[in-house]
């Protein structure tokens, strides 16, 4: 797992208008590597605290830790 791949994924997430992204969206940042390799890179970013999981119960998405507490934001919007 190269630092370049990690940085490209992080840059991609930061450029998106959505705060939460599906794994397939993250794969678009590194199209030249296979999905299993991309999954390892994304998991390493989560382990390093540079990305975090968000789950609705049936769907897992990824977001930057700096996006705050999305659950509280979403409850406030309802």
């Amino acid at each position: 797992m190269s630092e370049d791949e990690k940085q490209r994924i992080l840059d991609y997430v930061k450029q998106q208008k959505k705060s939460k992204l599906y794994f397939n969206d993250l794969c678009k940042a590194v199209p030249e590597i296979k999905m299993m390799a991309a999954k390892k890179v994304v998991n390493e970013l989560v382990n390093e605290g540079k990305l975090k999981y968000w789950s609705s119960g049936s769907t897992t998405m990824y977001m930057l830790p700096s996006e705050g507490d999305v659950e509280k934001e979403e409850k406030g919007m309802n």
Side-chain angles (χ1 to χ4, degrees):
M1 288 161 262
S2 76
E3 291 300 317
D4 177 59
E5 292 164 343
K6 288 185 198 178
Q7 190 59 50
R8 287 172 37 210
I9 290 172
L10 287 174
D11 290 343
Y12 181 82
V13 172
K14 291 174 186 174
Q15 293 171 358
Q16 301 306 303
K17 294 179 181 172
K18 301 180 284 183
S19 62
K20 298 174 289 211
L21 297 166
Y22 291 103
F23 173 71
N24 287 342
D25 294 331
L26 300 180
C27 288
K28 294 174 186 174
V30 285
E32 71 282 355
I33 65 174
K34 294 184 179 186
M35 287 186 92
M36 287 302 292
K39 184 73 171 173
K40 289 179 182 178
V41 173
V42 170
N43 284 338
E44 191 167 315
L45 287 168
V46 170
N47 290 338
E48 292 173 0
K50 295 178 181 175
L51 287 179
K52 69 178 183 178
Y53 294 112
W54 179 88
S55 177
S56 66
S58 62
T59 302
T60 299
M61 300 178 88
Y62 300 87
M63 61 187 285
L64 295 171
S66 62
E67 291 297 325
D69 191 344
V70 177
E71 283 185 38
K72 287 181 183 174
E73 292 172 15
E74 289 175 347
K75 286 180 184 175
M77 294 168 61
N78 291 335

